[in-house]
Amino acid sequence: MWYLLGVLFLANTLIWFAVFQESRDSVLTVAFLDVGQGDAIFIEAPDGTQVLLDGGPGGSVLRQLGEVMPFYDRSIDMVIASHPDQDHTGGLPAVLERFDIGVVMGPGVGSDTAVYKEFEGLVREQKIQKVMARRGMRVVLGGGVYMDILFPDRDTFGWDTNNASIIARLVYGNVSFLLTGDAPKRIEEYVVALEGERLNADILKLGHHGSKTSTSEVFLGIVSPQYAIISAGVDNRYGHPHKEVTDMLKEFDILSLATYESGTIVIKSDGENIYVK
């Protein structure tokens, strides 16, 4: 009797494992984590490759990662710091202390903040490979997913940190995400001049948490997304997102999704369809 139950349990486990594997083998997951007034984006390719783009302002990123990663998973293949401001890198030291990281990518601009110095110190201490993001790079995540670096296109040493933000286009089949850090309008429009209609994407992570300093009309028109993601804190002191931006989204008939309203926003895709949780 117990032997039969054991066999049935094992068979059921194997069936569900096979279903899980088949599902994971065809699905890209992009989770815009609810880290308050900041950015943190977790990406998992169909083959299980994982990327964390930014870490929010503090330790809440660990809690949010715990919601989208298995409890036993203690590694992340790549960590990308879009730029060194605290609302994007404040949680990264905690991530480096808790997870084994394969590669760290950044734009090349530095910061004198204590948290960024801690982050850089941990990268050196743990001997993590560091890569400078440059236009023309393609990061192949596996399972048919890749990320093209669109900006910076040059050395950013000494730049204003927002101006140096990494802009990347994540692609899986016919579905694409445009991820912009805190890039201001002048950088958006420069990238429009470089890329033109190749900037078109289904999902746009709005620059600078929906601030009016980002999301120019020409940029939004070229990207022409179906969804705009706003990563911002509830009742934040900056008033993000600004009304000018939300009004423009309505004018362009773009559906906005905000972490301060919905919490973590999880988007899954099979390369053709988009599923929002």
Side-chain angles (χ1 to χ4, degrees):
M1 176 65 175
W2 289 109
Y3 172 77
L4 179 60
L5 287 174
V7 171
L8 290 174
F9 174 78
L10 179 60
N12 186 61
T13 300
L14 291 173
I15 289 169
W16 279 108
F17 178 76
V19 169
F20 172 76
Q21 284 295 101
E22 182 179 355
S23 173
R24 191 170 95 166
D25 285 347
S26 62
V27 175
L28 166 69
T29 299
V30 181
F32 298 87
L33 305 180
D34 180 16
V35 291
Q37 183 62 17
D39 274 17
I41 304 166
F42 175 76
I43 300 163
E44 185 167 30
D47 69 349
T49 301
Q50 297 167 334
V51 175
L52 178 64
L53 172 54
D54 291 334
S60 64
V61 67
L62 293 181
R63 182 171 64 254
Q64 296 302 321
L65 285 172
E67 298 294 323
V68 295
M69 296 176 69
F71 70 91
Y72 52 82
D73 192 345
R74 287 293 177 267
S75 66
I76 297 175
D77 297 285
M78 174 178 276
V79 166
I80 303 174
S82 68
H83 63 298
D85 287 0
Q86 180 153 347
D87 57 341
H88 292 251
T89 61
L92 292 183
V95 171
L96 265 59
E97 288 173 342
R98 187 173 180 86
F99 293 90
D100 293 325
I101 308 300
V103 179
V104 164
M105 176 181 280
V109 67
S111 172
D112 290 331
T113 62
V115 70
Y116 189 73
K117 288 181 177 179
E118 182 184 5
F119 168 62
E120 289 277 77
L122 286 167
V123 171
R124 289 192 299 270
E125 180 184 315
Q126 297 178 15
K127 296 181 172 59
I128 301 171
Q129 181 184 358
K130 189 171 182 181
V131 177
M132 295 297 106
R134 291 293 180 266
R135 179 172 184 258
M137 286 183 174
R138 172 166 290 183
V139 181
V140 178
L141 303 186
V145 177
Y146 62 89
M147 178 186 293
D148 283 339
I149 305 299
L150 308 181
F151 193 82
D153 63 345
R154 66 193 75 183
D155 183 11
T156 59
F157 180 79
W159 282 28
D160 171 85
T161 53
N162 287 344
N163 288 345
S165 290
I166 293 173
I167 299 177
R169 188 169 182 265
L170 179 70
V171 180
Y172 181 37
N174 291 320
V175 174
S176 56
F177 298 72
L178 193 62
L179 311 170
T180 62
D182 280 355
K185 289 179 179 179
R186 62 185 294 267
I187 298 299
E188 292 176 343
E189 291 169 1
Y190 175 70
V191 174
V192 167
L194 291 176
E195 298 290 338
E197 292 184 359
R198 287 175 294 183
L199 285 176
N200 182 264
D202 301 286
I203 298 98
L204 169 65
K205 197 288 297 181
L206 290 188
H208 210 171
H209 323 289
S211 169
K212 62 185 178 183
T213 61
S214 297
T215 315
S216 71
E217 187 171 354
V218 65
F219 181 73
L220 195 60
I222 285 288
V223 178
S224 188
Q226 181 179 352
Y227 296 98
I229 308 297
I230 303 169
S231 185
V234 177
D235 298 326
N236 64 84
R237 64 190 177 95
Y238 306 100
H240 296 156
H242 289 146
K243 188 174 185 299
E244 294 92 328
V245 174
T246 55
D247 284 350
M248 193 169 13
L249 294 177
K250 292 174 185 175
E251 180 184 339
F252 280 80
D253 198 26
I254 297 167
L255 179 62
S256 64
L257 302 170
T259 57
Y260 60 85
E261 291 178 337
S262 306
T264 291
I265 299 161
V266 179
I267 297 179
K268 293 180 179 287
S269 177
D270 58 7
E272 295 290 338
N273 304 292
I274 297 168
Y275 307 95
V276 180
K277 293 177 63 179

